[in-house]
Amino acid sequence: MDKVYIARAEPQGAAREIADALALAIHEHRLAPGTKLGEDDLAEIYGVSRTVVRAALQRLAHDRLVDLKRNRGAFVAQPSVREAREVFEARALVEPRTAHSAADRATPADIAALQQHIDAEHAATSEGNAGRALYLSGLFHLEIARIADQSTIEAFLSQLVARSSLIIVLYWQRRNALCESHAHHALLDAFAEADGDRAEVLMKHHLVDLLTSLDLRNAPQPAGSLKEALGR
Amino acid sequence: MDKVYIARAEPQGAAREIADALALAIHEHRLAPGTKLGEDDLAEIYGVSRTVVRAALQRLAHDRLVDLKRNRGAFVAQPSVREAREVFEARALVEPRTAHSAADRATPADIAALQQHIDAEHAATSEGNAGRALYLSGLFHLEIARIADQSTIEAFLSQLVARSSLIIVLYWQRRNALCESHAHHALLDAFAEADGDRAEVLMKHHLVDLLTSLDLRNAPQPAGSLKEALGR
DNA sequence: GCACGAGATACTGTATACAATCTTGTCGAC
DNA sequence: GTCGACAAGATTGTATACAGTATCTCGTGC
């Protein structure tokens, strides 16, 4: 259920697989912001040549998940306060309307899929796997875009959700994630009743709630390589 | 004034230059949808190796300006009717609000820059260079996002505007582009008066107008390879 | 003891070479 | 005459090799 896009059989198959694996690691906070992603290391880990690793890194750089620095290498991105605000502002701009139209279109199968996502979130939280819970929480939002049948918006949101993961690891304050699943459950109810207006309002509040629970006053204190965090 | 991003001194400099050149050619309709972009050809044209050409093509593929087909090569994208609708729906979702916040923030220098864009559009239209006029028309929209100071949205819009170029070449019916510059002028007025509400409404109507002036009933009749258009 | 600089090292950027796959042209069978 | 199969050519996918640049280390001078 994880590799949703693996079946799309696109070109650069190997590069895409590696990019997805790295993106997942970033999502689940196994790779901290600022971590250096050496080409030789990745090539050895995945058993391919640097050529395909570079393609994967370029893809991630395009999604702003990694920063490419000329002659220095690739690093897991460390979104600035400004970027953090922009990402959530963009989400607040797009997602409420998307939720509205998704609620209008949702079929029983869609509702069931959303319920599964929420269950999986709960399971991950119970296991204490906060990183995975956060990743699944992002998938919930993407699923809504899929239900709205707007693949263009879905692709954009996919980037925003991924970057949100990085932002949360850098700026997150509130430690309990219960509010999260509660908000998602409320959204699901609105979907089940096909109440687009309520879904829109709920989504808007959910995102505002997320943004306000971040501490954007201070510069980030990344857990990544010390040299990167300081010298840059 | 064209290569706005050239100064950003990003990694993959050569690849970016080539990607920008190709994107510009697509914008200005010098490269028709469906055109094959052979790696060897491009490598010879730009005097680099296939390595960097591939990086450029991957970048364009990520922006959905070209389709990459495994073991077949890169082709200028041919957006489907569905994609066309989605792109303009996404623009209609994002741009009005962006225009609103841009109108609230616009400085006299911003207004002057927008005026310059409109003048350049007129000049290109007078010269009969419709492709360039369309490209400049897209830049006008991007400039608004820049004024709104939302670089995340601006990057997204940049993709949408680029894809709009392809869509227009495939589905455009109305031949006179006068309505275009008129709408842009009206927007500029709203900006000059810092009337955010009016700018939002104008932008919304402008995009609806654009969408309705497309003929999305028929399958595209691209100038590219016939096999691509039919068999796929 | 500290600052500065030259050399060494390690890494990325690019080009080239080889392998795999698809397209295309030709030949043969039905 | 048409359809199918096989072979030749062309093009992409991947790996490797080389070149350029930044960083680190160690030595020298102050």
Side-chain angles (χ1 to χ4, degrees):
Chain A
M1 189 180 301
D2 283 335
K3 305 186 179 181
V4 184
Y5 296 100
I6 201 176
R8 280 171 68 178
E10 297 203 356
Q12 319 295 340
R16 177 167 198 121
E17 267 187 52
I18 294 176
D20 284 349
L22 289 174
L24 182 60
I26 293 174
H27 263 291
E28 294 186 349
H29 297 175
R30 297 197 308 269
L31 283 174
T35 304
K36 163 139 193 181
L37 302 172
E39 297 183 356
D40 276 326
D41 301 338
L42 294 174
E44 189 173 359
I45 290 172
Y46 291 105
V48 294
S49 99
R50 278 179 49 215
T51 307
V52 49
V53 168
R54 283 180 72 82
L57 289 175
Q58 281 173 24
R59 174 186 287 270
L60 292 172
H62 199 285
D63 287 340
R64 303 276 218 137
L65 256 61
V66 314
D67 278 346
L68 255 44
K69 306 184 181 175
R70 186 170 186 93
N71 289 321
R72 299 237 1 240
F75 302 83
V76 178
Q78 301 182 105
S80 66
V81 172
R82 179 209 165 92
E83 286 175 305
R85 251 199 207 93
E86 279 192 5
V87 166
F88 278 94
E89 281 172 5
R91 291 186 63 172
L93 180 62
V94 171
E95 292 202 65
R97 299 272 294 265
T98 304
H100 191 135
S101 97
D104 291 341
R105 296 166 167 266
T107 65
D110 294 329
I111 308 285
L114 287 175
Q115 181 65 57
Q116 276 193 341
H117 273 286
I118 291 181
D119 293 343
E121 279 183 64
H122 283 180
T125 306
S126 302
E127 295 171 6
N129 194 339
R132 179 159 188 83
L134 182 68
Y135 169 65
L136 292 168
S137 158
L139 277 190
F140 181 86
H141 285 248
L142 284 185
E143 183 72 11
I144 289 175
R146 189 196 59 76
I147 292 171
D149 203 32
Q150 294 270 0
S151 65
T152 300
I153 299 252
E154 185 183 349
F156 180 46
L157 258 183
S158 176
Q159 290 182 27
L160 293 179
V161 167
R163 293 174 71 184
S164 297
S165 240
L166 282 171
I167 291 165
I168 286 171
V169 91
L170 284 176
Y171 302 104
W172 183 255
Q173 269 199 321
R174 201 189 307 172
R175 283 305 162 193
N176 63 351
L178 289 179
C179 49
E180 275 282 345
S181 57
H182 198 72
H184 285 186
H185 216 90
L187 269 166
L188 181 61
D189 285 343
F191 274 61
E193 296 169 22
D195 189 341
D197 291 333
R198 200 168 102 226
E200 183 170 344
V201 170
L202 282 172
M203 180 62 88
K204 185 167 195 144
H205 282 83
H206 177 37
L207 288 169
V208 168
D209 193 42
L210 270 174
L211 180 56
T212 55
S213 71
L214 298 177
D215 180 9
L216 297 181
R217 292 165 305 178
N218 302 324
Q221 293 285 344
S225 147
L226 308 90
K227 195 188 311 170
E228 269 314 306
L230 309 174
R232 198 200 288 250
Chain B
M1 190 182 297
D2 282 336
K3 305 186 179 181
V4 183
Y5 296 106
I6 199 176
R8 280 172 66 179
E10 297 204 357
Q12 319 296 341
R16 178 167 198 121
E17 266 186 53
I18 294 176
D20 284 348
L22 289 174
L24 182 60
I26 292 174
H27 263 291
E28 295 185 349
H29 298 176
R30 297 197 308 271
L31 283 174
T35 305
K36 163 138 194 181
L37 302 172
E39 296 183 358
D40 274 325
D41 302 339
L42 293 175
E44 189 172 0
I45 290 171
Y46 291 104
V48 294
S49 98
R50 278 178 50 215
T51 308
V52 49
V53 169
R54 284 178 72 83
L57 289 176
Q58 281 174 24
R59 175 186 287 269
L60 292 172
H62 198 285
D63 287 339
R64 303 276 219 136
L65 255 60
V66 314
D67 278 347
L68 254 45
K69 306 184 181 178
R70 187 172 185 92
N71 289 321
R72 300 239 356 244
F75 302 82
V76 178
Q78 302 181 114
S80 66
V81 171
R82 179 208 165 93
E83 285 175 306
R85 250 199 208 95
E86 280 192 5
V87 166
F88 278 94
E89 280 171 6
R91 290 186 64 172
L93 181 62
V94 170
E95 292 202 64
R97 299 273 294 264
T98 304
H100 191 134
S101 105
D104 291 341
R105 295 166 166 268
T107 66
D110 294 331
I111 308 286
L114 287 175
Q115 182 65 59
Q116 275 192 342
H117 273 285
I118 291 181
D119 292 343
E121 279 183 64
H122 284 181
T125 306
S126 301
E127 295 170 7
N129 193 340
R132 179 159 187 82
L134 182 67
Y135 169 64
L136 291 169
S137 158
L139 276 190
F140 181 86
H141 285 249
L142 284 185
E143 183 72 10
I144 288 174
R146 189 196 59 76
I147 293 171
D149 203 32
Q150 293 270 0
S151 65
T152 301
I153 299 256
E154 184 184 349
F156 180 46
L157 259 183
S158 176
Q159 290 182 27
L160 292 180
V161 167
R163 293 175 70 184
S164 297
S165 239
L166 282 171
I167 291 165
I168 286 171
V169 90
L170 284 176
Y171 302 104
W172 183 256
Q173 270 199 321
R174 201 189 308 172
R175 283 304 163 196
N176 63 350
L178 290 179
C179 49
E180 275 281 345
S181 58
H182 197 72
H184 286 186
H185 217 88
L187 268 166
L188 181 62
D189 285 344
F191 274 62
E193 296 170 21
D195 189 342
D197 291 333
R198 200 169 100 225
E200 182 170 344
V201 170
L202 283 171
M203 180 62 87
K204 186 167 194 142
H205 281 83
H206 177 36
L207 289 170
V208 169
D209 193 43
L210 270 175
L211 180 56
T212 56
S213 72
L214 298 177
D215 181 9
L216 297 181
R217 292 166 305 179
N218 301 325
Q221 292 287 343
S225 141
L226 307 91
K227 193 190 311 172
E228 273 311 311
L230 308 175
R232 196 195 290 250

